[in-house]
Amino acid sequence: MWEPDTKKRCQTNEHYQQQQQQQQQQKPNNPTGPFLQCFELILPWLTPIELANISLTSKSLNQLSKSTTLRRSSDASRSFENLPIPFHNTIDDHPYAHFIYTPSQIFPSSSSSQPQRQSWGSLDFSSSASRLGVEPVSLVDELGHSVSGCDCERCDDEDPDGCPCFSEMDELDMANECGPSCGCGLECENRLTQRGVSLRLKIVRDGRKGWGLYADQFIEKAQFVCEYAGELLTTKEATNRQQMYDKLASDGRFSSALLVLREHLPSGKACMRINIDATRMGNVARFINHSCDGGNLVTKLVRSSGALVPRICFFASRDIKENEELAFSYGEVRLRSNGLQCFCGSSSCFGTLPSENT
């Protein structure tokens, strides 16, 4: 009876040691444990302040928080664009700018006043990279069907007359592209500005201007760079937000990204005001700074067939060198005496940024 008992006891001790080893592997100090695996899913959803607070709780979470921060700084677009757009900062301790990324125009939700979250900095970028595409405001008939669009399966840019939606950029800096009700797909040549950012860009920190968008490759004149994406606002909402932003900017530590563009109608007696706010939700265009000399970008209105609201797109106004900052003119009007100081550095700098009374 002695030998079987001894054997059984040895087997029990061996099993106990195996359990102890498994428990040791699952402790919080072990990055492969379930505890930290859970946090790997949670951390990408946290704000910078929340992430910083979590990093103080343990060494393991501190390491995970640093990894999340590193991944965030490596791509501002969260994989929504065709190429990563990294942050570069040698000025201070801000590794990135936090905002909700959208590659296209969106309408603010009823809960836009509440904190919104977006996964950013996960181990698997592709798992959270579903595009936030929204249905544009389109012309429809009484049944709700779109009444505009073409039947082309593919519009050849060598034969623009073959597509009724195609138009060259004219003197008014406007163009038409195929829209959601057209028969062609995203690979169509007449959807140039709808395929997202296809150039290598980077976001660089400046000691005076803050973040700015730079070319990370040579860009030829007339090349499409990006569109100005963000929340489409009514004029009333845009005015309310601008008043709020003006108060926040009074201490010099806040800058908004609310763009107002007026499109004059053909009659010449009226104009349509387009308000796009990229302060809280936007794309890389929110980092493009102003230049009093007009910069190296030009804005063009691009209409998609059947859509009521045009998109504001940026094209290179001249050849742009690698590592050159991208800039455009915010406007010429300077109505407010307390306008923000301009640091564009051009020979024609006015000293203050364009501004209007809200």
Side-chain angles (χ1 to χ4, degrees), residues 42-56 61-62 65-66 68-70 72-73 78 87 93-100 115-118 120-121 211 280:
I42 296 175
L43 295 185
W45 295 92
L46 301 184
T47 65
I49 295 178
E50 293 170 340
L51 192 63
N53 291 334
I54 285 290
S55 68
L56 300 176
L61 288 178
N62 181 272
S65 298
K66 288 182 178 179
T68 301
T69 298
L70 182 61
R72 288 184 177 185
S73 63
R78 300 150 176 75
F87 289 95
D93 58 355
H94 293 84
Y96 60 89
H98 187 263
F99 63 102
I100 304 298
Q116 299 194 23
R117 297 183 184 273
Q118 183 182 52
W120 184 22
W211 295 109
R280 296 184 294 189

Side-chain angles (χ1 to χ4, degrees), residues 10-238:
C10 290
Q11 290 175 348
T12 302
N13 289 340
E14 183 180 354
H15 179 67
Y16 174 77
Q17 292 175 355
Q18 291 177 352
Q19 285 184 329
Q20 287 294 101
Q21 291 177 357
Q22 291 177 356
Q23 291 176 1
Q24 289 291 334
Q25 292 176 353
Q26 293 176 359
K27 284 185 176 181
N29 289 333
N30 190 333
T32 62
F35 177 78
L36 292 186
Q37 288 178 357
C38 178
F39 270 95
E40 287 177 353
L41 299 175
I42 296 175
L43 295 185
W45 295 92
L46 301 184
T47 65
I49 295 178
E50 293 170 340
L51 192 63
N53 291 334
I54 285 290
S55 68
L56 300 176
T57 58
S58 72
K59 291 183 178 180
S60 297
L61 288 178
N62 181 272
Q63 293 175 354
L64 281 180
S65 298
K66 288 182 178 179
S67 297
T68 301
T69 298
L70 182 61
R71 285 190 290 271
R72 288 184 177 185
S73 63
S74 67
D75 186 11
S77 75
R78 300 150 176 75
S79 294
F80 284 111
E81 303 295 356
N82 302 305
L83 298 169
I85 304 172
F87 289 95
H88 293 274
N89 185 3
T90 59
I91 304 299
D92 51 38
D93 58 355
H94 293 84
Y96 60 89
H98 187 263
F99 63 102
I100 304 298
Y101 200 93
T102 172
S104 56
Q105 295 176 351
I106 57 175
F107 294 100
S109 63
S110 57
S111 60
S112 60
S113 59
Q114 301 297 322
Q116 299 194 23
R117 297 183 184 273
Q118 183 182 52
S119 179
W120 184 22
S122 62
L123 290 173
D124 183 9
F125 279 7
S126 60
S127 62
S128 60
S130 57
R131 292 184 66 86
L132 298 178
V134 293
E135 192 69 23
V137 180
S138 303
L139 299 169
V140 296
D141 58 20
E142 60 275 4
L143 298 177
H145 300 146
S146 176
V147 296
S148 181
C150 68
D151 297 326
C152 305
E153 293 183 0
R154 185 172 178 270
C155 305
D156 191 347
D157 55 0
E158 295 181 359
D159 183 21
D161 295 335
C163 178
C165 301
F166 185 89
S167 70
E168 294 282 2
M169 295 288 181
D170 56 22
E171 67 277 2
L172 298 177
D173 290 331
M174 295 180 61
N176 293 325
E177 291 186 344
C178 291
S181 58
C182 295
C184 54
L186 196 59
E187 71 284 352
C188 174
E189 284 84 353
N190 199 30
R191 294 182 184 271
L192 171 66
T193 66
Q194 301 174 39
R195 294 191 286 266
V197 178
S198 298
L199 300 172
R200 292 196 305 275
L201 307 174
K202 59 184 177 182
I203 303 166
V204 181
R205 185 79 167 174
D206 181 83
R208 296 186 302 173
K209 293 185 287 186
W211 295 109
L213 189 64
Y214 284 68
D216 204 20
Q217 69 171 73
F218 174 77
I219 301 175
E220 293 183 359
K221 180 180 179 180
Q223 265 193 288
F224 169 67
V225 177
C226 64
E227 75 167 280
Y228 198 93
E231 297 178 275
L232 279 171
L233 305 179
T234 63
T235 298
K236 179 179 179 181
E237 178 63 23

